[in-house]
Amino acid sequence: MDDTTRYKIEGIVTDLDNLIRELKTLSSSISNDFQGLGEGRCSSSIESMASEYECIKNQLSEIN
């Protein structure tokens, strides 16, 4: 793999890390701030999305 491709993959992994962190923060905020309004289901969906991005990030990290 050339350096340009490696650099792009590293950038994507960094962006995914930031996105995962933001999704987890959002999920936590929803759980705490919106109790009784379906927050459990919404929070769970966001956590699931974060987990999927985590898997993608891990796969990209293995390539690099």
Side-chain angles (χ1 to χ4, degrees):
M1 175 183 327
D2 64 19
D3 288 340
T4 302
T5 304
R6 183 173 289 113
Y7 179 74
K8 287 180 181 181
I9 290 174
E10 287 174 4
I12 292 168
V13 168
T14 299
D15 289 344
L16 285 170
D17 264 337
N18 293 332
L19 178 59
I20 291 163
R21 190 174 20 261
E22 288 181 34
L23 287 170
K24 289 183 177 185
T25 299
L26 178 61
S27 174
S28 177
S29 295
I30 287 172
S31 289
N32 294 329
D33 297 340
F34 295 98
Q35 293 181 354
L37 300 172
E39 83 288 347
R41 190 175 203 179
C42 183
S43 178
S44 176
S45 293
I46 293 170
E47 282 289 330
S48 176
M49 189 183 320
S51 293
E52 290 178 28
Y53 284 126
E54 188 86 44
C55 290
I56 293 168
K57 182 194 79 152
N58 291 339
Q59 289 174 353
L60 284 172
S61 293
E62 288 177 9
I63 292 172
N64 211 5

